[in-house]
Amino acid sequence: MAHRDLPIYELEEALVTSLRTQGRLVVQAPTGSGKSTQLPQMLLDHGLLETGQAVILQPRRLATRMLAKRVAEELGSGLGGVVGYQIRLESRVSARTRIRFVTEGVLLRQMSFDDQLKGIDVLIFDEFHERHLYGDITLARAIQIQQSTRPDLKIVVMSATLDTVILKDYLAPCAVLTSQGRMFPVAMSYLAKTVNFEQEPVWDVAARECERLGGETAGDMLVFMPGAYEISRTVQALEARRGLRDFSCLPLHGELSTEQQDRAVARATTRKIIVSTNVAETSLTIDGVTAVIDSGLARIARFDPHRGINTLLVEKISAASADQRAGRAGRTAPGVCVRLWTERDHGQRSPQELPEVKRLDLSEVVLTLKATGINDVANFPWIEKPEPKALGRAELLLTDLGALDGQVGEITTLGRKMLNFPLHPRYARMLLEAESRDCVRPVALMAALTQGRNFLLRNASKAVEEARESVLGEEHESDFFLLMRAWLQADRSNYRLEVCRDLGLHAQGARQVAPLFDQFLKIAEKEGLQAGDRGVDSVAVRKCVLVGFSDQLARRLDVGTLRCDLVHGRRGLLARESVIQNSPLLVAAEITEVGGRGGEVNVLLNLATAIEETWLQELFPDDYCNASGVIYDETAKRVVVRRERKFRDLVLESKSSHEDPPLDAAARLLTSEVLADRIKLAAWDEAVEQWITRVNRLAEWFPELEITPITAKDRGTLIEQICYGEVSAKALKDKPVMPALRDWLTSEQLAVLDVYLPERLTMANGRRSRVTYHVEGPPVLSARIQELYGIEGKFTLGQGRVPVKIEVLAPNQRPIQVTDDLGNFWRDQYPKIKPELSRRYPRHEWR
């Protein structure tokens, strides 16, 4: 249909009027309504872009380029003319450009250098419901700019599904326009029972459902998979199905060439099955799709601020994302959606995805905010505030990199230089360090190698491993170096498939490195860095890696395993395929949580580089130290003195000394072990606990005695007194504890304790009966019936001040009655129980 038939044009008049009269607008319109492609053209047609551009922010690179291409085609203009796009490291714009599609980070970087946003008339935030980190930040920053230097700036926020109440309050004052769109009905179906994708791979299940739907539906099919690997396996599974021979099976994801991406969304004469990541969930509309097969999975990036670990795990998508995917089947005709999970499982899914600000590394965005003069990032007007620990860790990393002043938190000259490089701050810092060490070119290549997927395929066959060793040579210093040589080999062969296949290389992934490498070299030269080819100085390059990743320094725990200790108290496993198998110290450029079978999660250290300990002292003199410390050696079961070399909190080497540990320190450590129940004090038994309870109740019942109660904290103090003078668990095992406890009281208080609250009382028959004291309630005297003969009425201690309960025992010491008045017991209860007891115990006296 002609683009003016799209539902968004129902809002055209109201939209243009709103923008002419006020500066902020929210547009809520479903996927497929045409908002992404048509709204910018409306602005152009109605003269709202006479002096500047409309900049449309998209969360994904692939969608940014494809939307720009489609709008350019509709306007009869080539890309880079009236319509252009900018994504990280790629730009197709000119002085004639009036509609510019960009990824979110591009505009935020522009804001850090230009708070006037010169040449921009309208900012359009598309697909805002996805709540990408840079979208949140850029919108907040745009509002600040509009309120200060650019009151004429127009801001439009668009979304398919959005909580307009939250956004309307945040953007107030603003108008909200809603388009209902025109969706055809989509028939939903679920699997009858849950499938274990580890036993039956998700791509096989999807292919089976596609084959079933192929004969039942007309039109094309769209299959959602979490990543490039799953997409590749799905295409293979589809092509192996006889019932799908008439279909073209096409992948769609960000790692493909532009030609492959365009082919997947282009109209075709034959039916096709597009297998896509969630890039096809929003933004891109693929005409002709009438069936969706949804795996219900996506790779979701997260950052753990407590451990500083980046994760990229396959997770279940939210119900909102599933609805977005299903809607792709009802764009042009009634459709069907098959969800590869059960209806019960669907009811248990989270309603919405967690916003990225709650789950991603914030270091790059914090540096960008600091560059705009916002030093108090915690009080920045976030739509939703990030976790304080996540912000704190980002600022700590930037301080470690020298990008922030550790005293006042302001961006440094070095930090501003780092922002000139469109890279994570770690790699930007590495490039600047490389200038001083004359190795800019290899470090730029390393940065380029890490921007996309790892093209050096893992779990290679023995033949591939032998070919790599033969062609690439041995490598024991850095996984980066092996990756660099592999890429150079692929580049020299012009990425020939047979060469890449023999070496276990992903040809397309390797091909994507070259333009990034060239781009980084151009940026480096523009910033005055010397990027000539001077060869690779191994030591210089590895020092640059250490500067970028000092907080990911790891020490091998032993030769026999891959276990490592890391800075910040973390532990991980060196990747088995790493070439750094013999180095005791290394830095990991990637620390990743990888989901395994049965919910197991492994912390893997990838892209490792061997380093020398002397470099730590050279590069970080304030963080490297020799120290002696006193520790409790769990193996020896004693306190010992250790000599340690440390980098920050990571112990590099620890040796026991023959010195005697200080007694104070030894007592504190032994006390900690006792309180943690790892050392037992045999003499601290129930009698000791009773003694402490007696002291505390005496203090409570007789305040005039001025006795200090023994609190939980005081117990630690008393145990430390008992431990003083000892250094081993063995010496403590049978050590008496009462001497230290008795010292808590004066001799007068001790005497009163035994008189007022005795442990035992002498009964009429000469036997001593036990009195039990409790934290609350009265004491309890336990005595056999025969020991209580002749005692009437109520019973008290402490000169009549403390009433006592009587626990009456049978001859077998088992309780038969608890009373606080023996007179009542003799009168009411005893006659009832005496006959039975006297028959059972005839040898005892029964009065």
Side-chain angles (χ1 to χ4, degrees):
M1 59 182 171
H3 63 261
R4 289 201 64 86
D5 294 332
L6 288 166
I8 193 64
Y9 278 95
E10 298 168 356
L11 301 179
E12 182 175 14
E13 184 178 344
L15 192 149
V16 172
T17 301
S18 293
L19 280 180
R20 289 194 190 280
T21 56
Q22 58 184 311
R24 299 176 194 170
L25 173 65
V26 174
V27 177
Q28 184 177 2
T31 298
S33 61
K35 61 184 181 301
S36 301
T37 58
Q38 304 308 307
L39 193 144
Q41 296 183 62
M42 292 180 195
L43 301 179
L44 189 66
D45 292 343
H46 288 273
L48 290 168
L49 305 178
E50 291 183 355
T51 60
Q53 297 177 339
V55 175
I56 306 97
L57 284 85
Q58 285 289 329
R60 295 184 180 86
R61 291 179 298 172
L62 190 153
T64 301
R65 186 188 68 79
M66 294 190 125
L67 287 169
K69 181 173 181 287
R70 181 170 294 182
V71 174
E73 289 171 352
E74 290 181 1
L75 290 175
S77 165
L79 273 174
V82 175
V83 182
Y85 70 89
Q86 268 183 293
I87 61 180
R88 203 171 210 182
L89 308 175
E90 187 179 338
S91 178
R92 294 284 297 276
V93 295
S94 68
R96 295 171 41 233
T97 301
R98 284 291 171 267
I99 297 173
R100 174 163 58 109
F101 287 84
V102 304
T103 44
E104 295 153 334
V106 168
L107 185 64
L108 188 56
R109 284 179 180 276
Q110 182 179 342
M111 289 173 167
S112 69
F113 298 108
D114 172 20
D115 63 0
Q116 297 284 328
L117 291 182
K118 298 181 185 68
I120 298 176
D121 287 344
V122 184
L123 287 178
I124 302 172
F125 294 80
D126 198 10
E127 306 302 347
F128 197 77
H129 67 276
E130 293 192 20
R131 297 300 308 282
H132 283 239
L133 175 59
Y134 276 98
D136 277 17
I137 301 298
T138 309
L139 176 59
R141 190 73 190 102
I143 292 171
Q144 286 184 325
I145 290 173
Q146 187 190 58
Q147 289 173 336
S148 54
T149 59
R150 284 290 310 279
D152 61 315
L153 182 68
K154 307 292 187 183
I155 297 174
V156 181
V157 180
M158 303 196 302
S159 175
T161 60
L162 198 62
D163 188 339
T164 51
V165 175
I166 292 175
L167 200 61
K168 186 175 181 181
D169 290 345
Y170 184 77
L171 290 171
C174 73
V176 178
L177 300 179
T178 302
S179 169
Q180 298 303 320
R182 288 193 292 273
M183 283 291 297
F184 290 90
V186 176
M188 304 297 304
S189 68
Y190 298 85
L191 297 185
K193 60 181 181 178
T194 300
V195 175
N196 183 341
F197 289 144
E198 291 189 3
Q199 294 179 353
E200 185 177 8
V202 64
W203 44 84
D204 288 340
V205 179
R208 184 183 69 216
E209 293 299 317
C210 283
E211 186 174 34
R212 181 179 64 81
L213 287 177
E216 298 177 3
T217 62
D220 297 334
M221 289 188 267
L222 175 60
V223 181
F224 284 100
M225 284 287 157
Y229 172 73
E230 292 83 2
I231 287 173
S232 173
R233 294 300 300 267
T234 305
V235 170
Q236 291 175 20
L238 292 169
E239 291 175 341
R241 291 269 172 175
R242 288 188 175 184
L244 298 174
R245 287 177 180 174
D246 296 334
F247 285 82
S248 298
C249 301
L250 301 167
L252 180 60
H253 56 81
E255 296 171 16
L256 298 171
S257 67
T258 54
E259 293 80 8
Q260 289 173 300
Q261 293 170 357
D262 291 344
R263 189 161 64 248
V265 300
R267 292 184 178 274
T269 54
T270 59
R271 292 179 72 184
K272 62 184 179 180
I273 304 174
I274 304 102
V275 189
S276 175
T277 58
N278 56 5
V279 70
E281 187 177 305
T282 54
S283 299
L284 288 177
T285 295
I286 304 174
D287 294 330
V289 170
T290 57
V292 164
I293 295 87
D294 186 3
S295 68
L297 304 172
R299 289 194 181 275
I300 298 178
R302 297 188 187 277
F303 179 74
D304 184 341
H306 304 284
R307 288 172 289 167
I309 296 175
N310 287 306
T311 67
L312 189 61
L313 304 179
V314 174
E315 299 181 16
K316 294 179 180 180
I317 60 172
S318 67
S321 291
D323 290 343
Q324 285 289 304
R325 292 180 175 188
R328 290 316 201 172
R331 277 278 295 108
T332 55
V336 296
C337 174
V338 178
R339 289 172 170 168
L340 305 185
W341 62 94
T342 64
E343 192 165 7
R344 180 179 180 181
D345 177 38
H346 187 75
Q348 297 171 344
R349 297 197 170 208
S350 63
Q352 303 281 345
E353 301 292 356
L354 191 67
E356 281 191 350
V357 73
K358 298 282 191 182
R359 56 181 168 87
L360 286 188
D361 176 18
L362 301 176
S363 56
E364 193 171 357
V365 79
V366 166
L367 185 61
T368 309
L369 287 174
K370 296 276 187 177
T372 64
I374 298 167
N375 289 319
D376 186 5
V377 292
N379 289 315
F380 179 72
W382 307 88
I383 296 177
E384 286 188 57
K385 283 187 177 295
E387 293 295 326
K389 282 190 177 181
L391 276 178
R393 189 172 288 279
E395 294 200 62
L396 178 61
L397 171 60
L398 294 170
T399 302
D400 285 345
L401 294 173
L404 299 182
D405 184 308
Q407 299 298 317
V408 294
E410 294 180 356
I411 190 168
T412 61
T413 302
L414 180 64
R416 290 193 180 278
K417 287 182 180 178
M418 287 164 60
L419 266 183
N420 294 335
F421 301 90
L423 294 163
H424 189 280
R426 294 185 186 276
Y427 286 100
R429 178 68 183 89
M430 283 169 59
L431 275 175
L432 293 172
E433 183 70 20
E435 168 66 6
S436 66
R437 300 187 181 277
D438 204 22
C439 57
V440 169
R441 192 175 186 87
V443 170
L445 177 55
M446 291 165 73
L449 290 167
T450 60
Q451 297 303 298
R453 63 172 290 174
N454 185 352
F455 60 83
L456 193 67
L457 301 179
R458 294 173 177 169
N459 302 317
S461 66
K462 188 174 182 181
V464 167
E465 287 182 353
E466 290 174 351
R468 285 179 182 173
E469 190 169 332
S470 173
V471 175
L472 305 179
E474 288 191 14
E475 176 55 52
H476 302 292
E477 293 185 327
S478 177
D479 292 327
F480 275 115
F481 294 165
L482 185 66
L483 205 57
M484 291 161 75
R485 290 205 293 273
W487 177 77
L488 288 169
Q489 190 69 26
D491 188 58
R492 290 191 196 104
S493 73
N494 199 26
Y495 311 100
R496 290 208 316 274
L497 286 178
E498 59 271 23
V499 173
C500 293
R501 185 174 57 247
D502 291 345
L503 293 175
L505 308 181
H506 187 279
Q508 184 58 40
R511 189 187 298 273
Q512 291 171 0
V513 172
L516 293 174
F517 183 29
D518 290 340
Q519 184 79 25
F520 291 161
L521 289 176
K522 288 175 183 174
I523 293 171
E525 289 169 353
K526 180 183 175 184
E527 295 302 317
L529 277 59
Q530 300 300 312
D533 191 354
R534 296 172 175 81
V536 177
D537 179 341
S538 160
V539 170
V541 174
R542 286 189 287 149
K543 284 182 178 179
C544 291
V545 177
L546 175 57
V547 166
F549 292 91
S550 65
D551 62 320
Q552 296 188 173
L553 178 72
R555 179 181 69 86
R556 293 286 295 276
L557 288 177
D558 45 59
V559 177
T561 73
L562 298 172
R563 297 182 307 140
C564 299
D565 272 346
L566 289 96
V567 173
H568 300 318
R570 296 166 291 171
R571 279 223 167 148
L573 289 173
L574 178 63
R576 193 168 297 280
E577 61 270 20
S578 173
V579 300
I580 312 304
Q581 297 292 324
N582 299 317
S583 177
L585 281 177
L586 55 97
V587 287
E590 292 181 5
I591 299 182
T592 311
E593 272 192 352
V594 178
R597 293 178 179 271
E600 180 186 1
V601 176
N602 296 314
V603 178
L604 289 183
L605 312 183
N606 292 298
L607 268 184
T609 297
I611 66 137
E612 302 294 334
E613 188 175 333
T614 55
W615 303 349
L616 299 174
Q617 196 166 9
E618 172 195 341
L619 297 171
F620 305 97
D622 294 336
D623 295 329
Y624 180 89
C625 68
N626 287 284
S628 64
V630 181
I631 66 161
Y632 179 74
D633 188 325
E634 178 61 35
T635 304
K637 304 292 184 187
R638 62 186 297 111
V639 177
V640 296
V641 176
R642 289 270 190 186
R643 297 286 180 192
E644 294 180 339
R645 289 199 313 280
K646 296 175 70 174
F647 176 73
R648 297 178 188 157
D649 66 343
L650 177 65
V651 177
L652 303 173
E653 186 179 41
S654 178
K655 290 183 179 179
S656 294
S657 167
H658 295 298
E659 305 171 49
D660 291 330
L663 294 180
D664 285 347
R668 284 194 297 273
L669 287 169
L670 290 171
T671 299
S672 296
E673 295 299 308
V674 171
L675 291 174
D677 211 27
R678 290 188 289 267
I679 293 179
K680 306 291 185 184
L681 293 174
W684 195 296
D685 55 13
E686 179 58 31
V688 171
E689 291 294 339
Q690 268 292 293
W691 189 88
I692 292 173
T693 303
R694 287 166 65 209
V695 169
N696 289 345
R697 300 313 300 269
L698 188 67
E700 175 187 345
W701 289 326
F702 299 90
E704 69 273 13
L705 297 177
E706 298 183 349
I707 293 173
T708 304
I710 300 173
T711 65
K713 185 178 179 181
D714 295 328
R715 285 171 177 259
T717 303
L718 289 166
I719 291 171
E720 191 169 331
Q721 289 178 18
I722 296 164
C723 293
Y724 189 82
E726 310 298 345
V727 295
S728 70
K730 183 178 180 181
L732 282 177
K733 182 180 177 184
D734 298 318
K735 189 168 184 180
V737 302
M738 282 309 299
L741 267 65
R742 288 181 175 278
D743 283 344
W744 188 264
L745 301 178
T746 66
S747 57
E748 292 81 3
Q749 290 170 337
L750 269 173
V752 171
L753 174 67
D754 289 331
V755 172
Y756 283 9
L757 303 180
E759 290 182 271
R760 292 183 177 273
L761 290 175
T762 303
M763 309 305 292
N765 60 0
R767 291 183 177 273
R768 290 172 58 77
S769 296
R770 179 168 53 90
V771 181
T772 303
Y773 297 86
H774 301 279
V775 175
E776 293 180 350
V780 176
L781 170 67
S782 300
R784 289 185 300 169
I785 288 180
Q786 285 76 14
E787 295 166 356
L788 296 171
Y789 287 154
I791 302 175
E792 295 283 345
K794 297 187 177 182
F795 198 84
T796 61
L797 293 174
Q799 298 178 335
R801 193 182 296 187
V802 181
V804 177
K805 280 191 177 295
I806 309 295
E807 184 180 53
V808 183
L809 305 178
N812 65 352
Q813 301 290 330
R814 291 186 177 178
I816 55 175
Q817 182 75 34
V818 176
T819 180
D820 53 11
D821 188 338
L822 278 172
N824 291 336
F825 171 73
W826 296 127
R827 183 177 60 254
D828 299 332
Q829 300 299 321
Y830 183 64
K832 299 175 184 177
I833 62 176
K834 176 183 174 182
E836 175 64 24
L837 289 173
S838 61
R839 281 196 301 271
R840 189 177 299 175
Y841 304 104
R843 296 182 180 179
H844 291 267
E845 177 187 6
W846 298 100
R847 295 184 185 177

